[in-house]
Amino acid sequence: MAAAVAETRYEAETAPATCDGTIDTNHSGYSGTGFCNGDREIGAAAQFTVNAPEAGTATISIGYANGSTTTRPADLIVNGDTVLSTSFARTSGWGNWTTTTSVVQLNSGDNTIRLNPTSTNGLPNIDYLDIELGDTPPQPPGWPRECARSSPIVCHFDVAPGNYEVTAWIGDRDTAGNTSMSVEARRRILPAVSTAAGTITKHTYTINVRQPEGQPTGQGGTGDPGLDITFAGSAPKLSGLTVQAANDPLVVYLAGDSTTCDQMLAPWTGWGQLMPTHVSAGAVVANYGDSGESSGSFLRNSKLFPTMKPLIKRDDLIFIQFGHNDKSTSASAYRSNLTSMINQVRDRGGDPVLVTPPVRRHFNGDRLTPTARHVNSRGVDLPAEMHRVGSQLNVPVIDLTAKSKELVESLGPNASARLYLRKEEDGYKDNTHFSEYGAGRMADLVVEGVREHNLSLVSYLR
């Protein structure tokens, strides 16, 4: 296709676009005069008709909002052919609009682009489709020598600790694929995506490399120096991979315990391991969470806060979550520890964010006990004390205790077990530590809090 053409917007409520549902206006922030609220059934599609002056490549961006509790899978169908199976991630509210972007091939003249839901939840609310016609994008660089030809595909790059921009071309010109992407200590970057034969999608992320690559004290193993990348899924396909030093990304540091940290060993999973699935290139999660740490021990251990602090630069975000291991900490000591971390972060020019601890799964009837809500053995309501510090020092507080309590109690004593480790599923029963599914739900709640406080990370959320 010839030189790039300016972006064109096609509104979901404007013919010839069609919506298998209703055109609504009951949520703010949409473009145009409304949005497509599709029926909750498989195949209840939103379809756009777009015109291309000649055949070639186009970049499409779909504006949507998904305020439900789950992702919504769909097929992207161009001129009758399914070119990509994807999922519309949650956006923490029906008034929170975002975009997802793909590269497709168009014919000369009119083309149909159909979003076809593959679950009974239907599509998210669809606002518009932006299309930019232009030159064919650069070809994938081919199989990287750092990657083994295996399934899963495992790649290793000998790089020093730091932040790196990683670009992966996922898919294959000849065969269909299903590919996920993880880095280092089981950090999930990309959930499995399906690609049709001939479809290759480009994905760029910023990755934090540390040694040890999981918990800073080495619990569970230290991993290998350098950067490890794994492409899994039912049929992993890779057409190129590049790694280069990142240019001054926004760093989100996590200071926390075992419910937060990068767990080396499955099935244990911290919510910080799933946080990167929400973050696009230009921002990176650096997880310094460590098992067994209290607010005081994290502050004192030379491998933890004293190691993290010198790395903090102006405007970086530092999420501080403690409580699980402050079982006998006094209210004054707890406030003092949090205050010390906040002041030292600010001395470096960073922006502290307090995160109250997620609940344990201890029920009395259909309600969680005070212990589950982090009232410790000395009667100290730790989340309330964290709110007190946040109010006094003007620090935003993400109330993960309240958010996780609402989630766990809404599921009830039985269904909520899925969030935590289960004997029959994981070989270990634990009402404190999360399964991979539960860690993902906690990461969703943290991201919800990021949006509510309009933190600087919002600009980088996927």
Side-chain angles (χ1 to χ4, degrees), residues 24-30 35 94-95 97 125:
D24 290 349
T25 59
N26 58 322
H27 299 295
S28 62
Y30 57 84
F35 54 85
W94 292 108
W97 300 89
N125 289 340

Side-chain angles (χ1 to χ4, degrees), residues 41-317:
E41 59 185 49
I42 294 173
Q47 181 169 298
F48 299 85
T49 301
V50 304
N51 186 271
E54 55 184 289
T57 302
T59 299
I60 62 171
S61 298
I62 301 160
Y64 77 94
N66 178 11
S68 67
T69 58
T70 60
T71 59
R72 297 201 171 188
D75 288 335
L76 175 62
I77 302 173
V78 179
N79 296 325
D81 294 325
T82 300
V83 299
L84 181 67
S85 294
T86 187
S87 289
F88 290 95
R90 297 176 60 239
T91 60
S92 303
W94 292 108
N96 291 327
W97 300 89
T98 190
T99 59
T100 181
T101 302
S102 303
V103 177
V104 300
Q105 294 291 322
L106 297 183
N107 299 328
S108 176
D110 285 344
N111 297 262
T112 59
I113 298 178
R114 184 176 179 87
L115 307 175
N116 198 61
T118 55
S119 82
T120 54
N121 285 328
L123 290 171
N125 289 340
I126 301 296
D127 189 11
Y128 60 80
L129 181 145
D130 282 343
I131 185 162
E132 185 174 359
L133 310 174
D135 295 331
T136 301
Q139 296 300 306
W143 190 268
R145 61 181 177 80
E146 294 86 356
C147 300
R149 290 188 178 274
S150 58
S151 183
I153 301 165
V154 179
C155 310
H156 177 78
F157 292 81
D158 290 321
V159 296
N163 297 312
Y164 293 87
E165 186 175 278
V166 176
T167 300
W169 286 261
I170 290 175
D172 186 79
R173 298 209 176 279
D174 300 317
T175 57
N178 178 269
T179 312
S180 65
M181 180 178 174
S182 299
V183 301
E184 296 290 87
R186 300 173 54 237
R187 279 183 251 157
R188 178 64 56 81
I189 301 298
L190 178 70
V193 295
S194 296
T195 48
T199 298
I200 298 173
T201 58
K202 181 180 177 182
H203 304 263
T204 300
Y205 308 103
T206 308
I207 306 300
N208 178 254
V209 176
R210 305 184 303 277
Q211 183 59 30
E213 65 183 53
Q215 301 183 56
T217 59
Q219 297 181 68
T222 59
D224 299 320
L227 171 60
D228 295 302
I229 306 174
T230 301
F231 299 91
S234 60
K237 302 294 179 182
L238 182 67
S239 293
L241 182 65
T242 61
V243 174
Q244 61 185 16
N247 182 23
D248 195 27
L250 169 69
V251 183
V252 181
Y253 290 94
L254 305 184
D257 52 36
S258 57
T259 63
T260 305
C261 72
D262 287 349
Q263 298 275 7
M264 289 289 292
L265 302 176
W268 286 266
T269 311
W271 61 256
Q273 282 177 287
L274 279 296
M275 189 78 171
T277 62
H278 295 276
V279 180
S280 61
V284 64
V285 176
N287 192 350
Y288 280 78
D290 196 77
S291 292
E293 306 301 337
S294 66
S295 58
S297 67
F298 189 90
L299 193 60
R300 295 186 298 268
N301 191 318
S302 62
K303 295 180 179 179
L304 300 174
F305 190 79
T307 294
M308 184 183 77
K309 178 185 171 181
L311 303 175
I312 298 170
K313 65 182 189 303
R314 182 164 299 280
D315 297 328
D316 283 342
L317 292 170

